[in-house]
C-alpha cells in the first residue's frame, strides 16, 4: 500500500462514527449551503429582472405599436366615398356634376349567393357583374368589405328591400351622390363616363388598386384621364368587432348575445369612429360648350349631306383647336352615346336593349373616339407635308412647275405602272402646268408624285420622306390628355419588310413613296394628328400638345394647377416654306380652288385643304382642315366624314361646309345667304372668340 492510499483510508475512518455510519455534518458544510443559496437567489433575481425588462419594453417602448395592433384586430373599417369633382367648360358651364342618390351595398359574408341573385332582380342591377364581384370578394379575402350592388337605386326599390332586412342580411343603403351629365350626350367622348369598379380593375395594379369594392370610378374620357384628381380621398367608418367579426357585445358561454337579440352585421349599427371623406377637385376644360354644340350640329349636318347623296355617312369627327397652345375648344365624334346611360348600371329592358345595340356592329362603334383613335388615309390633306419636304430637300422651289398632259405618270426610269390624278379618274380633264401653290389649290396628284420621285433620286436614305413626315408628329401619339389615342402609321422600309406577306410585298420602292406622298398607300393618320400638323403650319412650325383640360380647382374655386403642356417639338421647316404652303392653302378657297364652292360668300379670309381618301370596299373618307386669317384669336378646325362621296360629292360637300360654319360661328359671323350649304346656325356671342 502506498502512502497516499493509507492517508485516504485514515481520512475515511475519521469521517465515520463508531457504528460505521458517515457523519452528516461533515457531508455539507455551512459555507457550502450559503454558496448555494446565493446562487439560487442570483438566478431568481435574474429571471425577475428579465421579466421586468420585458414588461417595461412591452408597456412603455412598444405600447403604441401594440395598441394599434390590438385596435386593428378589433375593428372593421369601410370606406366613405368622397363626392366626385365637377367638370366645367372653359366658361364655367357644368358638364358633369353630382346629384343625391341611394346606393345599395352588401357585405358578402353576411348574405348567401342566391339571395344576392334575388336582390339584383329586385333592384334591376346587372346580375352577372354583381355575382362576379361577389365571388371575387371571397376568392380575394374581401368578403367582409361592402360591395356595390346598385348605384342610384329608386326609392321604391330601396323601401322594398329595406323592409326585408331579415331576408337580405348584410344589406346597407347609403345616401350618396351619383354622377350627372346635364348636357346629356354633348361632348360624351371628351367627358367619358363612370361606373362601378370591377374585380379585374381592383386587382390590375393600376389607378384603381386599393379601392373599396363599392367604389364608382371613371371609365373613359376626362373621367378616366383625371380619375386621381376627380375621385378625392375616401373617409372611413370603423366598427368595433370581436375576433369573429361580430359586434362587440356581452355574450353567453355559447357565444350568443346576452341581450337575446339577433346577430347583426356591424355596418348596420353606429360606427365607433368616423373620418370624413375629402371631396375630389374640379376640372375645368378648354372646351367651350356653345362652340361644342355648333360643332356637333355641323358634323351631323355633314353626315346628313353624305346620306342625301346616296352614301352611308356612317361616322365622323370634328375638332376645333387653338393652334398657339393646343387647347381643344370643341371635339366630337360620331356616332356617340349618352354617358348618363351608365349611371346606376345598365338596368331595365329599355336600357339593356339600348346598350346591346350600342355594342352591336350596326351601331358602328359609338364608344370609339374617332377624333383621337380613328386612323384613316389622310388623302390630299397630306400633300402640304410632301410639298414642304420638296422645298426643304431642295428638289423644288416656289416656281417649280409640273405639266400634266393626261398621260400616265411614272417614276423616273420606270416602264410599268400608271399613276393618274383625280381629274383624269373623274373625267374632268388635266391639271395643265402648275407650280407648288397652284398644285395645292387644284390638289394635283401628279405634282406631288413628282416631288416624291425627285427626293427618292436625290438621297441615299430610303426613309428620308417618312422621317420628314415624323417631324410633324405623324406615326406618334400627340400626347392629348384623353385615353385610347392611336399612333397612326408612317410606313418605313423596316415596317414594310416586317409587314409584307410575300417577297414582293416586302419590297420598299419609290412606288410606295409616291402613294404615301398623296396620303394613300399604308399611311394612316388620326384627326388629332392631322390638325396638329396643320397647326404647325399656322403657328410657324411648333408642334403643340393638344389638350382638353385647362386647370384644376379645389372646392373653394381656387386654381391649384394650370394645365399647359409643353410643345412636343419644332418641325424645323423654314418660314419661307411655311409661307409658300399657306399661299397654296389660300388659293384652295378662292376661284378655281377645290373648296371654292363651299366657301362662296364667306366674309372671312379662309384657307385650308380638302381631301378624299380611298377606304376598302370602294368607300371614301372626306377631310377638310383650315382656319381664317384674322386679327382675332386663331382657331383651326378639322372635319372628317366616314363613307362620304368622291369628286364633286366629296369633301367639298360634306366636310368643308362644316368647318366653314364652325369658324364663322366662333368669330360671331352670320351665315351668308350666298352660302350653298347654309344651315341658318345663329352666330356665337363671343366677340371674336371665346375666352
Amino acid at each position: 500500500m502506498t502512502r497516499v492510499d493509507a492517508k485516504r483510508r485514515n481520512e475515511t475512518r475519521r469521517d465515520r462514527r463508531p457504528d460505521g455510519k458517515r457523519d452528516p455534518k461533515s457531508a455539507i458544510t455551512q459555507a457550502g449551503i450559503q454558496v448555494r443559496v446565493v446562487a439560487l437567489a442570483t438566478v431568481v433575481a435574474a429571471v425577475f429582472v428579465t421579466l421586468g425588462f420585458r414588461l417595461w419594453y412591452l408597456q412603455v417602448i412598444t405600447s403604441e405599436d401594440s395598441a394599434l395592433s390590438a385596435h386593428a384586430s378589433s375593428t372593421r373599417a369601410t370606406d366613405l366615398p368622397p363626392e366626385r369633382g365637377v367638370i366645367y367648360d372653359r366658361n364655367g358651364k357644368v358638364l358633369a356634376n353630382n346629384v343625391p342618390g341611394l346606393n345599395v351595398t352588401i357585405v358578402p359574408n353576411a348574405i348567401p349567393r342566391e339571395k344576392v341573385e334575388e336582390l339584383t332582380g329586385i333592384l334591376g342591377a346587372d346580375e352577372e357583374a354583381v355575382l362576379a364581384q361577389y365571388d371575387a370578394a371571397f376568392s380575394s379575402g374581401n368578403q367582409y368589405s361592402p360591395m356595390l350592388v346598385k348605384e342610384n337605386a329608386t326609392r321604391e326599390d330601396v323601401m322594398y328591400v329595406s323592409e326585408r332586412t331579415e331576408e337580405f342580411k348584410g344589406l346597407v343603403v347609403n345616401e350618396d351622390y351619383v354622377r350627372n351629365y346635364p348636357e346629356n350626350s354633348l361632348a360624351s367622348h371628351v367627358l367619358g363616363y363612370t361606373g362601378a369598379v370591377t374585380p379585374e380593375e381592383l386587382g390590375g395594379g393600376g389607378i384603381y388598386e386599393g379601392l373599396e369594392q363599392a367604389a364608382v370610378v371613371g371609365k373613359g374620357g376626362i373621367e378616366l384621364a383625371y380619375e386621381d384628381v376627380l375621385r378625392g380621398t375616401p373617409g372611413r367608418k370603423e366598427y368595433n368587432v370581436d375576433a369573429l367579426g361580430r359586434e362587440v357585445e356581452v355574450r353567453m358561454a355559447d357565444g350568443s348575445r346576452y341581450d337575446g337579440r339577433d346577430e347583426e352585421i356591424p355596418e348596420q349599427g353606429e360606427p365607433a369612429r368616423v373620418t370624413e371623406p375629402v371631396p375630389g377637385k374640379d376640372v375645368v376644360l378648354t372646351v367651350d360648350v356653345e362652340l361644342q354644340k355648333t360643332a356637333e350640329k355641323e358634323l351631323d349636318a355633314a353626315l346628313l349631306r353624305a346620306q342625301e347623296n346616296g352614301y352611308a355617312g356612317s361616322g365622323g369627327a370634328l375638332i376645333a383647336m387653338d393652334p398657339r397652345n393646343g387647347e381643344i375648344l370643341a371635339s366630337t365624334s360620331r356616332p356617340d352615346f349618352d354617358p348618363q346611360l351608365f349611371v346606376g348600371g345598365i338596368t331595365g329592358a329599355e336600357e339593356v336593349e339600348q346598350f346591346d345595340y350600342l355594342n352591336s356592329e350596326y351601331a358602328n362603334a359609338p364608344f370609339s373616339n374617332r377624333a383621337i383613335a380613328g386612323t384613316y388615309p389622310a388623302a390630299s390633306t397630306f400633300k402640304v407635308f410632301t410639298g414642304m419636304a420638296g422645298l426643304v430637300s431642295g428638289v423644288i422651289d416656289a416656281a417649280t412647275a409640273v405639266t400634266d398632259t393626261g398621260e400616265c405618270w411614272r417614276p423616273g426610269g420606270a416602264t410599268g405602272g400608271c399613276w393618274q390624278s383625280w381629274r383624269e379618274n373623274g373625267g374632268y380633264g388635266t391639271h395643265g402646268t402648275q407650280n407648288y401653290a397652284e398644285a395645292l389649290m387644284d390638289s394635283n396628284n401628279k405634282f406631288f408624285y413628282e416631288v416624291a420621285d425627285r427626293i427618292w433620286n436625290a438621297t441615299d436614305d430610303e426613309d428620308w420622306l417618312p422621317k420628314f413626315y415624323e417631324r410633324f408628329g405623324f406615326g406618334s401619339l400627340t400626347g392629348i390628355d384623353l385615353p385610347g389615342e392611336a399612333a397612326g402609321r408612317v410606313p418605313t422600309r423596316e415596317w414594310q419588310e416586317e409587314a409584307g406577306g410575300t417577297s414582293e410585298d416586302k419590297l420598299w420602292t419609290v412606288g410606295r413613296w409616291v402613294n404615301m406622298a398623296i396620303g394613300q398607300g399604308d399611311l394612316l393618320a388620326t384627326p388629332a394628328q392631322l390638325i396638329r400638323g396643320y397647326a404647325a403650319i399656322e403657328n410657324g412650325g411648333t408642334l403643340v400638345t393638344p389638350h382638353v383640360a385647362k386647370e384644376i380647382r379645389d372646392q373653394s374655386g381656387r386654381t391649384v394647377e394650370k394645365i399647359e403642356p409643353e410643345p412636343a417639338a419644332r418641325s424645323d421647316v423654314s418660314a419661307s416654306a411655311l409661307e409658300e404652303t399657306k399661299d397654296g392653302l389660300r388659293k384652295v378657297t378662292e376661284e378655281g380652288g377645290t373648296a371654292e364652292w363651299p366657301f362662296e360668300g364667306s366674309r372671312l379670309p379662309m384657307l385650308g385643304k380638302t381631301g378624299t381618301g380611298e377606304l376598302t370596299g370602294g368607300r371614301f373618307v372626306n377631310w377638310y382642315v383650315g382656319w381664317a386669317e384674322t386679327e382675332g384669336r386663331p382657331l383651326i378646325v378639322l372635319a372628317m366624314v366616314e363613307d362620304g362621296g368622291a369628286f364633286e360629292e366629296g369633301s367639298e360637300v360634306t366636310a368643308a361646309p362644316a368647318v366653314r360654319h364652325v369658324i364663322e360661328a366662333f368669330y360671331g359671323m352670320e351665315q351668308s345667304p350666298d352660302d350653298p350649304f347654309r344651315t341658318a346656325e345663329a352666330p356665337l356671342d363671343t366677340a371674336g372668340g371665346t375666352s
Side-chain angles (χ1 to χ4, degrees):
M1 177 181 302
T2 65
R3 295 178 62 183
V4 174
D5 290 338
K7 182 177 180 182
R8 287 177 178 171
R9 186 175 63 180
N10 291 334
E11 288 176 350
T12 299
R13 286 176 178 172
R14 285 196 301 267
D15 291 340
R16 293 183 182 276
R17 295 182 303 184
D19 57 5
K21 295 182 178 181
R22 187 182 299 269
D23 188 348
K25 292 182 180 180
S26 63
I28 302 176
T29 66
Q30 187 70 23
I33 293 174
Q34 289 177 347
V35 170
R36 294 185 181 187
V37 169
V38 170
L40 180 60
T42 301
V43 171
V44 171
V47 170
F48 274 99
V49 168
T50 302
L51 291 174
F53 175 78
R54 182 62 177 168
L55 187 61
W56 172 79
Y57 177 79
L58 292 174
Q59 291 187 343
V60 178
I61 299 300
T62 65
S63 60
E64 185 175 349
D65 293 340
S66 300
L68 289 174
S69 178
H71 179 69
S73 67
S74 63
T75 61
R76 192 157 78 207
T78 62
D79 278 355
L80 286 173
E83 185 177 355
R84 198 167 179 83
V86 177
I87 302 175
Y88 297 95
D89 90 326
R90 66 186 303 117
N91 299 313
K93 182 76 172 179
V94 174
L95 294 173
N97 61 356
N98 310 288
V99 295
L102 298 172
N103 293 346
V104 179
T105 64
I106 59 167
V107 177
N109 191 60
I111 183 171
R113 195 177 193 275
E114 59 271 16
K115 281 298 178 183
V116 177
E117 186 175 352
E118 184 181 343
L119 184 62
T120 61
I122 295 171
L123 297 174
D126 186 334
E127 178 183 316
E128 183 178 350
V130 171
L131 290 178
Q133 191 173 2
Y134 178 87
D135 295 337
F138 284 92
S139 62
S140 63
N142 290 330
Q143 65 269 30
Y144 296 105
S145 298
M147 58 163 273
L148 185 66
V149 175
K150 174 66 176 175
E151 181 191 12
N152 198 27
T154 65
R155 293 197 174 273
E156 293 77 11
D157 289 343
V158 167
M159 288 177 63
Y160 180 87
V161 297
S162 296
E163 292 170 354
R164 292 162 176 79
T165 53
E166 290 295 321
E167 186 179 350
F168 300 106
K169 291 185 178 296
L171 182 146
V172 178
V173 178
N174 299 307
E175 290 189 4
D176 202 352
Y177 288 95
V178 296
R179 207 59 164 162
N180 177 57
Y181 300 94
E183 297 290 342
N184 301 314
S185 63
L186 187 76
S188 57
H189 292 93
V190 173
L191 295 175
Y193 61 97
T194 60
V197 69
T198 66
E200 293 77 18
E201 290 168 337
L202 284 173
I207 59 174
Y208 305 130
E209 187 75 23
L211 293 182
E212 284 280 324
Q213 298 174 101
V216 174
V217 297
K219 298 280 189 172
I222 284 291
E223 295 278 26
L224 173 57
Y226 289 86
E227 165 68 17
D228 57 339
V229 172
L230 292 163
R231 182 197 305 153
T233 304
R236 287 174 73 83
K237 284 184 179 180
E238 295 181 85
Y239 299 88
N240 291 330
V241 296
D242 61 18
L244 298 178
R246 302 172 301 183
E247 285 186 298
V248 176
E249 292 287 342
V250 179
R251 297 186 178 274
M252 307 288 286
D254 61 0
S256 62
R257 294 171 63 119
Y258 182 80
D259 57 14
R261 293 170 54 192
D262 291 336
E263 202 67 59
E264 296 180 353
I265 63 170
E267 285 77 7
Q268 290 176 326
E270 288 295 320
R273 284 160 297 279
V274 177
T275 303
E276 294 298 329
V278 178
K281 295 182 178 66
D282 299 333
V283 176
V284 179
L285 303 186
T286 59
V287 171
D288 179 281
V289 161
E290 297 307 317
L291 191 67
Q292 179 74 24
K293 290 177 179 177
T294 299
E296 298 202 7
K297 289 178 182 177
E298 290 301 332
L299 180 57
D300 288 339
L303 296 175
L304 181 60
R305 288 192 291 271
Q307 294 162 7
E308 288 173 343
N309 284 332
Y311 300 95
S314 58
L318 192 149
I319 307 174
M321 185 176 80
D322 187 328
R324 300 170 302 177
N325 53 26
E327 288 189 359
I328 303 292
L329 277 74
S331 178
T332 184
S333 177
R334 289 292 187 269
D336 64 350
F337 64 95
D338 187 348
Q340 201 68 39
L341 174 67
F342 297 92
V343 176
I346 309 300
T347 61
E350 185 176 342
E351 285 190 358
V352 170
E353 183 179 355
Q354 183 181 357
F355 183 71
D356 288 344
Y357 170 74
L358 291 174
N359 282 284
S360 70
E361 60 177 306
Y362 306 105
N364 196 24
F367 300 118
S368 174
N369 185 356
R370 285 162 166 77
I372 64 170
T375 57
Y376 310 88
S380 294
T381 60
F382 210 65
K383 291 172 182 174
V384 295
F385 305 105
T386 300
M388 287 187 290
L391 294 171
V392 168
S393 66
V395 300
I396 65 168
D397 58 28
T400 300
V402 172
T403 300
D404 171 23
T405 63
E407 297 179 357
C408 287
W409 181 93
R410 297 183 182 91
T415 57
C418 180
W419 280 264
Q420 287 287 21
S421 190
W422 64 273
R423 280 195 171 276
E424 286 88 1
N425 291 332
Y428 299 103
T430 68
H431 292 282
T433 301
Q434 294 179 336
N435 61 23
Y436 174 42
E438 293 166 338
L440 284 177
M441 172 192 73
D442 199 27
S443 203
N444 184 345
N445 289 7
K446 289 185 176 179
F447 184 94
F448 297 98
Y449 293 155
E450 182 72 22
V451 171
D453 184 38
R454 291 186 183 186
I455 298 174
W456 175 273
N457 289 296
T459 179
D460 293 329
D461 184 355
E462 294 183 353
D463 281 334
W464 192 95
L465 189 57
K467 289 176 182 176
F468 183 85
Y469 296 146
E470 289 170 355
R471 292 193 202 180
F472 286 88
F474 295 103
S476 302
L477 299 176
T478 68
I480 191 170
D481 50 350
L482 288 173
E485 184 186 8
R489 181 173 66 214
V490 176
T492 61
R493 181 185 188 93
E494 182 182 4
W495 178 88
Q496 193 66 47
E497 290 174 350
E498 292 178 358
T502 66
S503 57
E504 186 176 351
D505 289 339
K506 293 179 182 296
L507 292 178
W508 182 244
T509 65
V510 63
R512 300 199 185 278
W513 271 36
V514 166
N515 284 338
M516 184 168 52
I518 62 166
Q520 288 290 161
D522 292 307
L523 183 133
L524 295 173
T526 68
Q529 288 175 328
L530 193 56
I531 195 172
R532 180 170 73 153
Y534 270 78
I537 298 172
E538 194 281 339
N539 67 28
T542 299
L543 205 61
V544 297
T545 301
H547 58 288
V548 293
K550 184 176 177 65
E551 60 185 45
I552 296 170
R553 297 177 181 170
D554 62 20
Q555 291 298 304
S556 68
R558 182 176 61 90
T559 299
V560 296
E561 180 183 352
K562 287 186 177 294
I563 299 171
E564 299 171 333
E566 292 293 322
R570 290 279 302 175
S571 62
D572 291 329
V573 174
S574 68
S576 62
L578 293 173
E579 189 52 47
E580 287 158 9
T581 300
K582 288 181 185 179
D583 188 34
L585 296 178
R586 291 184 188 99
K587 295 179 183 297
V588 169
T589 63
E590 296 172 355
E591 184 178 356
T594 56
E596 173 192 0
W597 181 29
F599 284 90
E600 220 174 280
S602 176
R603 289 180 292 157
L604 289 171
M606 299 281 198
L607 70 171
K609 186 70 187 77
T610 55
T612 297
E614 295 182 38
L615 302 172
T616 58
R619 298 156 51 236
F620 300 96
V621 56
N622 299 156
W623 298 94
Y624 188 85
V625 54
W627 63 96
E629 290 186 301
T630 71
E631 295 301 320
R633 182 180 176 200
L635 183 77
I636 186 166
V637 181
L638 174 148
M640 180 277 297
V641 172
E642 288 179 3
D643 297 316
F647 305 116
E648 290 187 344
E649 295 177 336
S651 57
E652 64 270 29
V653 173
T654 58
V659 170
R660 170 182 177 170
H661 296 156
V662 170
I663 292 174
E664 288 178 337
F666 178 75
Y667 290 110
M669 295 284 184
E670 290 188 6
Q671 292 182 10
S672 169
D674 297 327
D675 183 350
F677 302 101
R678 191 168 184 265
T679 58
E681 178 72 27
L684 301 181
D685 184 15
T686 60
T690 57
S691 62

